Protein backbone atom coordinates (compact mmCIF):
# COMPACT_ATOMS: atom_id res chain seq x y z
CA UNK A 1 0.00 0.00 0.00
CA UNK A 2 1.64 3.19 -1.20
CA UNK A 3 0.82 6.70 0.03
CA UNK A 4 1.95 9.74 -1.93
CA UNK A 5 2.67 13.27 -0.72
CA UNK A 6 3.22 15.99 -3.31
CA UNK A 7 5.71 18.75 -2.45
CA UNK A 8 4.40 21.95 -4.05
CA UNK A 9 5.03 25.67 -3.88
CA UNK A 10 6.29 28.63 -5.86
CA UNK A 11 9.59 28.28 -7.76
CA UNK A 12 12.78 28.64 -5.70
CA UNK A 13 11.26 28.07 -2.27
CA UNK A 14 13.43 25.02 -1.52
CA UNK A 15 11.20 22.16 -2.67
CA UNK A 16 13.89 20.21 -4.50
CA UNK A 17 16.47 20.79 -1.76
CA UNK A 18 14.00 19.46 0.77
CA UNK A 19 13.10 16.52 -1.46
CA UNK A 20 16.75 15.58 -1.90
CA UNK A 21 17.26 15.59 1.85
CA UNK A 22 14.07 13.60 2.42
CA UNK A 23 14.90 10.84 0.02
CA UNK A 24 18.68 11.23 -0.26
CA UNK A 25 18.15 11.14 -3.99
CA UNK A 26 20.02 13.43 -6.38
CA UNK A 27 17.71 15.85 -8.21
CA UNK A 28 18.22 18.93 -10.33
CA UNK A 29 18.43 22.00 -8.09
CA UNK A 30 18.75 25.20 -10.09
CA UNK A 31 18.27 28.90 -9.44
CA UNK A 32 15.57 29.49 -12.05
CA UNK A 33 11.88 28.63 -12.37
CA UNK A 34 10.80 25.28 -13.78
CA UNK A 35 14.09 23.47 -13.19
CA UNK A 36 11.83 20.52 -12.40
CA UNK A 37 9.22 19.66 -15.04
CA UNK A 38 8.46 15.98 -14.55
CA UNK A 39 7.98 15.20 -10.87
CA UNK A 40 10.85 13.47 -9.11
CA UNK A 41 9.70 10.55 -7.00
CA UNK A 42 11.43 9.26 -3.89
CA UNK A 43 10.67 7.05 -0.93
CA UNK A 44 11.28 8.13 2.66
CA UNK A 45 11.34 5.82 5.66
CA UNK A 46 8.98 6.74 8.50
CA UNK A 47 11.06 7.00 11.71
CA UNK A 48 9.63 4.88 14.51
CA UNK A 49 11.57 4.20 17.71
CA UNK A 50 9.29 1.24 18.49
CA UNK A 51 10.85 -0.84 15.70
CA UNK A 52 14.25 -1.12 17.37
CA UNK A 53 12.71 -2.06 20.71
CA UNK A 54 10.57 -4.79 19.15
CA UNK A 55 13.50 -6.10 17.09
CA UNK A 56 15.71 -6.27 20.15
CA UNK A 57 13.17 -8.47 21.94
CA UNK A 58 12.67 -10.72 18.90
CA UNK A 59 16.39 -10.67 17.99
CA UNK A 60 15.31 -9.96 14.44
CA UNK A 61 17.72 -10.31 11.55
CA UNK A 62 16.12 -7.36 9.72
CA UNK A 63 14.20 -4.20 10.54
CA UNK A 64 11.85 -2.89 7.86
CA UNK A 65 10.20 0.49 8.46
CA UNK A 66 7.11 1.69 6.68
CA UNK A 67 7.52 4.32 3.97
CA UNK A 68 5.86 7.28 2.26
CA UNK A 69 6.40 8.35 -1.35
CA UNK A 70 7.25 12.00 -1.93
CA UNK A 71 6.74 13.73 -5.27
CA UNK A 72 8.78 16.84 -6.01
CA UNK A 73 6.38 18.80 -8.23
CA UNK A 74 7.64 21.75 -10.26
CA UNK A 75 6.97 25.27 -9.03
CA UNK A 76 3.53 26.73 -9.59
CA UNK A 77 3.10 30.40 -10.47
CA UNK A 78 0.24 32.88 -10.50
CA UNK A 79 -2.07 31.94 -13.38
CA UNK A 80 -1.12 28.24 -13.30
CA UNK A 81 -4.78 27.24 -13.59
CA UNK A 82 -4.88 29.10 -16.93
CA UNK A 83 -1.74 27.31 -18.10
CA UNK A 84 0.89 29.85 -17.05
CA UNK A 85 4.33 28.29 -16.53
CA UNK A 86 3.19 24.86 -17.77
CA UNK A 87 0.59 25.09 -15.01
CA UNK A 88 -1.90 22.58 -16.41
CA UNK A 89 0.79 19.91 -16.53
CA UNK A 90 1.94 20.63 -12.98
CA UNK A 91 -1.60 20.69 -11.60
CA UNK A 92 -2.25 17.28 -13.13
CA UNK A 93 0.74 15.93 -11.19
CA UNK A 94 -0.84 17.15 -7.94
CA UNK A 95 -4.02 15.21 -8.74
CA UNK A 96 -2.00 11.99 -8.52
CA UNK A 97 -1.01 12.42 -4.85
CA UNK A 98 -2.91 11.65 -1.63
CA UNK A 99 -1.82 14.76 0.31
CA UNK A 100 -0.02 18.05 -0.26
CA UNK A 101 3.04 19.47 1.50
CA UNK A 102 3.06 23.16 0.55
CA UNK A 103 6.55 24.62 0.94
CA UNK A 104 6.53 28.32 1.81
CA UNK A 105 9.74 30.32 1.77
CA UNK A 106 10.65 32.44 4.80
CA UNK A 107 14.42 32.68 4.29
CA UNK A 108 15.98 35.68 2.56
CA UNK A 109 18.86 35.11 0.15
CA UNK A 110 19.78 37.66 -2.51
CA UNK A 111 21.50 34.92 -4.49
CA UNK A 112 18.26 32.94 -4.88
CA UNK A 113 15.66 34.86 -6.84
CA UNK A 114 12.05 35.02 -5.74
CA UNK A 115 9.37 35.14 -8.42
CA UNK A 116 7.56 37.98 -6.62
CA UNK A 117 10.68 39.94 -5.72
CA UNK A 118 11.00 39.01 -2.03
CA UNK A 119 9.58 36.29 0.24
CA UNK A 120 6.17 36.97 1.77
CA UNK A 121 4.98 33.69 3.34
CA UNK A 122 1.34 34.76 3.76
CA UNK A 123 1.02 36.12 0.24
CA UNK A 124 2.94 33.23 -1.32
CA UNK A 125 0.71 30.71 0.46
CA UNK A 126 -2.40 32.54 -0.81
CA UNK A 127 -1.13 32.48 -4.40
CA UNK A 128 -0.88 28.69 -4.42
CA UNK A 129 -4.18 28.34 -2.58
CA UNK A 130 -5.97 30.48 -5.15
CA UNK A 131 -4.43 28.55 -8.04
CA UNK A 132 -5.68 25.25 -6.64
CA UNK A 133 -9.14 26.73 -6.01
CA UNK A 134 -9.38 28.16 -9.52
CA UNK A 135 -8.25 24.88 -11.09
CA UNK A 136 -10.96 23.05 -9.13
CA UNK A 137 -13.53 25.69 -9.98
CA UNK A 138 -13.06 24.96 -13.67
CA UNK A 139 -13.57 21.24 -13.01
CA UNK A 140 -16.66 21.81 -10.84
CA UNK A 141 -18.28 24.29 -13.23
CA UNK A 142 -17.84 21.91 -16.13
CA UNK A 143 -19.39 19.03 -14.19
CA UNK A 144 -22.18 21.27 -12.84
CA UNK A 145 -23.18 22.26 -16.37
CA UNK A 146 -23.18 18.60 -17.43
CA UNK A 147 -25.61 17.47 -14.71
CA UNK A 148 -27.87 20.51 -14.46
CA UNK A 149 -30.05 19.46 -17.40
CA UNK A 150 -30.50 15.93 -16.02
CA UNK A 151 -31.35 17.32 -12.61
CA UNK A 152 -34.06 19.57 -14.06
CA UNK A 153 -35.57 16.56 -15.87
CA UNK A 154 -36.12 14.79 -12.54
CA UNK A 155 -33.01 12.63 -12.22
CA UNK A 156 -32.59 12.38 -8.43
CA UNK A 157 -28.92 11.31 -8.58
CA UNK A 158 -28.11 14.19 -10.89
CA UNK A 159 -30.00 16.58 -8.59
CA UNK A 160 -28.00 15.42 -5.56
CA UNK A 161 -24.73 15.93 -7.43
CA UNK A 162 -25.86 19.32 -8.75
CA UNK A 163 -26.71 20.52 -5.25
CA UNK A 164 -23.36 19.67 -3.70
CA UNK A 165 -21.51 20.93 -6.77
CA UNK A 166 -23.37 24.22 -6.41
CA UNK A 167 -22.21 24.60 -2.80
CA UNK A 168 -18.63 23.74 -3.72
CA UNK A 169 -18.69 26.07 -6.72
CA UNK A 170 -19.73 29.00 -4.54
CA UNK A 171 -17.06 28.15 -1.95
CA UNK A 172 -14.26 27.86 -4.51
CA UNK A 173 -15.29 31.19 -6.03
CA UNK A 174 -14.68 32.76 -2.60
CA UNK A 175 -11.29 31.07 -2.30
CA UNK A 176 -12.56 28.48 0.20
CA UNK A 177 -11.29 24.94 -0.23
CA UNK A 178 -13.73 22.18 -1.17
CA UNK A 179 -12.65 20.26 1.91
CA UNK A 180 -14.10 23.01 4.12
CA UNK A 181 -17.61 22.69 2.64
CA UNK A 182 -20.08 20.85 4.87
CA UNK A 183 -21.15 17.68 3.08
CA UNK A 184 -22.93 14.47 4.01
CA UNK A 185 -21.19 11.12 3.64
CA UNK A 186 -23.10 10.54 0.40
CA UNK A 187 -22.08 13.95 -0.95
CA UNK A 188 -18.44 13.31 -0.06
CA UNK A 189 -18.55 10.10 -2.11
CA UNK A 190 -19.90 12.09 -5.09
CA UNK A 191 -17.17 14.72 -4.73
CA UNK A 192 -14.34 12.20 -4.44
CA UNK A 193 -15.08 11.08 -7.99
CA UNK A 194 -13.94 14.51 -9.22
CA UNK A 195 -10.48 14.14 -7.60
CA UNK A 196 -10.43 17.79 -6.59
CA UNK A 197 -7.13 19.31 -5.52
CA UNK A 198 -8.74 21.21 -2.65
CA UNK A 199 -10.21 18.04 -1.17
CA UNK A 200 -6.72 16.71 -0.49
CA UNK A 201 -5.32 17.17 3.01
CA UNK A 202 -2.57 19.82 3.07
CA UNK A 203 0.04 21.11 5.47
CA UNK A 204 2.53 23.95 5.18
CA UNK A 205 6.28 23.40 5.32
CA UNK A 206 7.84 26.73 6.24
CA UNK A 207 11.42 26.84 4.98
CA UNK A 208 13.50 29.24 7.07
CA UNK A 209 17.22 29.99 7.23
CA UNK A 210 19.62 27.98 9.38
CA UNK A 211 19.10 30.32 12.35
CA UNK A 212 15.30 30.20 12.07
CA UNK A 213 15.40 33.99 12.06
CA UNK A 214 11.73 34.40 11.13
CA UNK A 215 10.28 31.93 13.65
CA UNK A 216 8.54 34.66 15.69
CA UNK A 217 7.15 36.67 12.76
CA UNK A 218 5.58 33.94 10.64
CA UNK A 219 1.90 34.11 9.67
CA UNK A 220 -0.58 31.65 11.18
CA UNK A 221 -0.42 28.89 8.58
CA UNK A 222 -1.82 25.66 9.99
CA UNK A 223 -0.97 22.89 10.20
CA UNK A 224 2.70 23.56 9.59
CA UNK A 225 6.19 22.21 10.13
CA UNK A 226 9.13 24.61 10.43
CA UNK A 227 12.32 23.42 8.73
CA UNK A 228 15.56 24.70 7.30
CA UNK A 229 16.05 22.86 4.03
CA UNK A 230 19.67 24.03 4.03
CA UNK A 231 20.37 22.35 7.39
CA UNK A 232 18.43 19.23 6.42
CA UNK A 233 20.38 18.95 3.19
CA UNK A 234 23.67 19.16 5.08
CA UNK A 235 22.52 16.60 7.66
CA UNK A 236 21.42 14.16 4.96
CA UNK A 237 24.92 14.07 3.48
CA UNK A 238 26.62 13.17 6.78
CA UNK A 239 27.08 9.73 8.34
CA UNK A 240 24.54 9.11 11.10
CA UNK A 241 26.98 9.72 13.95
CA UNK A 242 28.18 13.03 12.50
CA UNK A 243 24.61 14.09 11.77
CA UNK A 244 23.69 13.49 15.41
CA UNK A 245 26.71 15.53 16.54
CA UNK A 246 25.69 18.40 14.24
CA UNK A 247 22.13 18.31 15.54
CA UNK A 248 23.40 18.37 19.11
CA UNK A 249 25.65 21.34 18.38
CA UNK A 250 22.67 23.19 16.85
CA UNK A 251 20.38 22.28 19.74
CA UNK A 252 18.07 20.26 17.49
CA UNK A 253 16.38 17.29 19.19
CA UNK A 254 14.45 16.05 16.16
CA UNK A 255 15.32 16.83 12.56
CA UNK A 256 12.89 18.84 10.49
CA UNK A 257 12.66 15.93 8.09
CA UNK A 258 11.55 13.55 10.82
CA UNK A 259 8.91 16.07 11.87
CA UNK A 260 7.79 16.43 8.23
CA UNK A 261 7.57 12.68 7.63
CA UNK A 262 5.63 12.06 10.84
CA UNK A 263 3.35 15.03 10.10
CA UNK A 264 2.73 13.68 6.59
CA UNK A 265 1.84 10.31 8.05
CA UNK A 266 -0.61 11.96 10.46
CA UNK A 267 -2.02 14.17 7.70
CA UNK A 268 -2.92 11.05 5.73
CA UNK A 269 -4.71 9.68 8.83
CA UNK A 270 -2.53 6.57 8.92
CA UNK A 271 -1.62 4.19 11.71
CA UNK A 272 1.18 1.65 12.08
CA UNK A 273 0.94 -1.97 13.11
CA UNK A 274 3.82 -4.42 13.45
CA UNK A 275 4.88 -7.98 12.87
CA UNK A 276 7.92 -9.13 14.83
CA UNK A 277 9.92 -12.35 14.89
CA UNK A 278 13.46 -13.74 14.49
CA UNK A 279 13.45 -13.20 10.72
CA UNK A 280 12.29 -9.58 10.72
CA UNK A 281 10.49 -6.83 12.61
CA UNK A 282 8.40 -4.84 10.22
CA UNK A 283 6.10 -1.82 10.29
CA UNK A 284 2.94 -1.83 8.17
CA UNK A 285 0.55 0.97 7.29
CA UNK A 286 -3.24 1.16 7.18
CA UNK A 287 -5.68 4.03 7.34
CA UNK A 288 -7.18 4.77 10.73
CA UNK A 289 -10.40 2.79 11.11
CA UNK A 290 -9.21 -0.22 9.08
CA UNK A 291 -10.49 -3.60 10.23
CA UNK A 292 -8.26 -6.61 10.91
CA UNK A 293 -8.89 -8.41 7.57
CA UNK A 294 -7.86 -5.27 5.67
CA UNK A 295 -4.65 -5.06 7.70
CA UNK A 296 -3.94 -8.71 6.96
CA UNK A 297 -4.46 -7.92 3.28
CA UNK A 298 -1.67 -5.33 3.43
CA UNK A 299 0.76 -8.16 4.21
CA UNK A 300 -0.64 -10.36 1.43
CA UNK A 301 -3.77 -9.74 -0.62
CA UNK A 302 -4.97 -13.34 -0.13
CA UNK A 303 -4.91 -12.91 3.65
CA UNK A 304 -7.89 -10.56 3.57
CA UNK A 305 -10.04 -13.17 1.85
CA UNK A 306 -8.90 -16.09 4.02
CA UNK A 307 -8.73 -14.20 7.34
CA UNK A 308 -9.76 -16.27 10.39
CA UNK A 309 -8.60 -14.24 13.40
CA UNK A 310 -5.91 -11.88 14.63
CA UNK A 311 -3.73 -12.36 17.69
CA UNK A 312 -3.01 -8.86 19.00
CA UNK A 313 -0.40 -7.59 21.47
CA UNK A 314 0.18 -3.95 22.32
CA UNK A 315 3.76 -3.08 21.43
CA UNK A 316 4.61 -1.91 24.98
CA UNK A 317 3.37 -5.22 26.42
CA UNK A 318 5.47 -7.09 23.85
CA UNK A 319 8.59 -5.18 24.93
CA UNK A 320 7.96 -5.21 28.68
CA UNK A 321 7.05 -8.93 28.73
CA UNK A 322 10.05 -9.84 26.54
CA UNK A 323 7.99 -11.26 23.70
CA UNK A 324 4.90 -13.33 22.98
CA UNK A 325 5.54 -16.04 25.60
CA UNK A 326 5.72 -13.47 28.41
CA UNK A 327 2.61 -11.72 27.11
CA UNK A 328 0.66 -14.99 27.15
CA UNK A 329 1.75 -15.72 30.72
CA UNK A 330 0.25 -12.42 31.84
CA UNK A 331 -2.90 -12.89 29.77
CA UNK A 332 -2.28 -9.79 27.66
CA UNK A 333 -2.63 -11.42 24.23
CA UNK A 334 -6.03 -10.73 22.65
CA UNK A 335 -7.79 -12.77 19.97
CA UNK A 336 -9.82 -10.54 17.66
CA UNK A 337 -12.20 -11.26 14.78
CA UNK A 338 -13.19 -9.65 11.49
CA UNK A 339 -14.78 -6.59 13.11
CA UNK A 340 -11.72 -5.58 15.12
CA UNK A 341 -10.58 -2.02 14.35
CA UNK A 342 -6.81 -1.82 14.17
CA UNK A 343 -4.98 0.42 16.65
CA UNK A 344 -1.68 2.16 16.27
CA UNK A 345 1.04 0.05 17.88
CA UNK A 346 -0.65 -3.35 17.51
CA UNK A 347 1.78 -6.25 17.14
CA UNK A 348 -0.11 -8.82 15.08
CA UNK A 349 -0.13 -12.48 14.15
CA UNK A 350 -2.85 -13.15 11.58
CA UNK A 351 -4.36 -16.60 11.33
CA UNK A 352 -5.60 -17.35 7.83
CA UNK A 353 -7.09 -20.29 5.95
CA UNK A 354 -5.73 -22.01 2.87
Amino acid sequence: MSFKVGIVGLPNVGKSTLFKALTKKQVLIANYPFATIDPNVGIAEVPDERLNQLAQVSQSEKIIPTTIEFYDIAGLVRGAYKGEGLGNQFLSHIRDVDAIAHVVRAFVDDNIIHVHGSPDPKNDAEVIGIELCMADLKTVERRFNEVEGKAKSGDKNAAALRDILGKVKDALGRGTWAGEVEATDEEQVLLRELNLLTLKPMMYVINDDENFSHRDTLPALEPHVLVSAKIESELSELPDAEAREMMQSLGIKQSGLEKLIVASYQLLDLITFFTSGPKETRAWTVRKGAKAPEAAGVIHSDFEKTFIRAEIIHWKDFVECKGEAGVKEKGLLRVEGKDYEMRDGDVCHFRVGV
Side-chain angles (χ1 to χ4, degrees):
M1 187 179 293
S2 178
F3 296 94
K4 305 171 184 176
V5 176
I7 302 176
V8 307
L10 294 170
N12 297 341
V13 296
K15 297 185 309 299
S16 294
T17 302
L18 191 64
F19 174 86
K20 177 185 174 184
L22 269 170
T23 62
K24 297 187 180 179
K25 179 176 180 179
Q26 294 294 326
V27 295
L28 174 62
I29 301 173
N31 184 24
Y32 56 90
F34 315 122
T36 309
I37 296 178
D38 293 325
N40 294 296
V41 183
I43 296 175
E45 296 180 353
V46 178
D48 196 323
E49 61 182 15
R50 297 172 295 185
L51 276 168
N52 287 327
Q53 296 181 56
L54 292 169
Q56 188 172 3
V57 171
S58 298
Q59 297 184 330
S60 305
E61 295 176 11
K62 291 191 296 183
I63 297 176
I64 305 176
T66 191
T67 60
I68 294 181
E69 287 186 18
F70 284 91
Y71 282 56
D72 176 26
I73 296 170
L76 295 170
V77 294
R78 185 178 281 118
Y81 76 97
K82 296 184 289 188
E84 294 293 332
L86 301 178
N88 289 332
Q89 182 178 351
F90 300 161
L91 288 166
S92 70
H93 293 152
I94 302 174
R95 294 193 192 280
D96 292 335
V97 302
D98 301 301
I100 299 170
H102 178 182
V103 181
V104 178
R105 175 175 166 180
F107 71 88
V108 177
D109 188 333
D110 293 337
N111 295 317
I112 301 177
I113 61 174
H114 188 283
V115 289
H116 297 153
S118 61
D120 182 339
K122 185 174 184 293
N123 179 70
D124 294 351
E126 289 174 351
V127 168
I128 299 299
I130 290 170
E131 292 306 317
L132 299 183
C133 281
M134 292 301 99
D136 277 353
L137 183 59
K138 289 173 63 177
T139 299
V140 170
E141 286 179 335
R142 183 169 59 249
R143 188 69 178 119
F144 182 89
N145 293 333
E146 290 172 358
V147 301
E148 191 172 22
K150 292 181 180 179
K152 287 180 178 178
S153 68
D155 186 321
K156 292 184 179 179
N157 291 332
L161 180 56
R162 178 202 58 191
D163 291 346
I164 185 59
L165 287 175
K167 288 194 287 186
V168 172
K169 182 161 69 78
D170 291 343
L172 291 170
R174 299 191 303 269
T176 300
W177 279 43
E180 298 177 38
V181 175
E182 288 189 17
T184 64
D185 292 344
E186 292 78 9
E187 288 173 334
Q188 289 175 7
V189 171
L190 294 172
L191 288 175
R192 277 199 293 270
E193 295 175 0
L194 297 178
N195 196 20
L196 298 178
L197 302 170
T198 58
L199 276 179
K200 298 180 185 296
M202 186 186 77
M203 67 177 173
Y204 295 95
V205 183
I206 301 176
N207 184 16
D208 205 353
D209 57 38
E210 59 267 41
N211 298 313
F212 296 101
S213 306
H214 305 89
R215 184 194 301 269
D216 298 327
T217 59
L218 294 171
L221 300 173
E222 297 297 340
H224 79 263
V225 175
L226 181 64
V227 304
S228 167
K230 183 177 181 181
I231 289 177
E232 300 302 330
S233 179
E234 292 173 4
L235 287 171
S236 71
E237 294 174 1
L238 296 174
D240 290 344
E242 292 181 25
R244 285 193 294 271
E245 286 180 12
M246 179 177 171
M247 286 174 61
Q248 191 172 10
S249 68
L250 294 171
I252 300 173
K253 294 182 179 179
Q254 185 183 28
S255 76
L257 294 187
E258 288 181 344
K259 292 178 183 177
L260 172 56
I261 294 169
V262 171
S264 298
Y265 203 72
Q266 294 170 342
L267 187 69
L268 287 163
D269 212 17
L270 305 176
I271 62 170
T272 301
F273 70 94
F274 304 98
T275 53
S276 186
K279 185 176 180 181
E280 67 178 32
T281 289
R282 182 164 183 165
W284 305 86
T285 300
V286 289
R287 290 198 185 276
K288 190 180 293 183
K291 299 294 178 66
E294 183 181 340
V298 173
I299 296 175
H300 194 292
S301 58
D302 290 343
F303 289 179
E304 183 169 6
K305 303 171 189 174
T306 59
F307 176 90
I308 297 174
R309 65 180 184 274
E311 296 173 359
I312 306 291
I313 304 169
H314 189 270
W315 77 272
K316 282 188 177 178
D317 292 336
F318 190 95
V319 172
E320 291 172 2
C321 297
K322 307 299 182 185
E324 186 173 326
V327 169
K328 286 180 176 178
E329 284 180 14
K330 292 193 175 183
L332 297 175
L333 182 145
R334 308 190 317 273
V335 177
E336 304 287 357
K338 293 182 178 180
D339 293 330
Y340 175 70
E341 188 173 300
M342 299 295 296
R343 300 173 188 170
D344 188 71
D346 282 344
V347 180
C348 306
H349 186 180
F350 295 109
R351 300 293 184 179
V352 297
V354 177

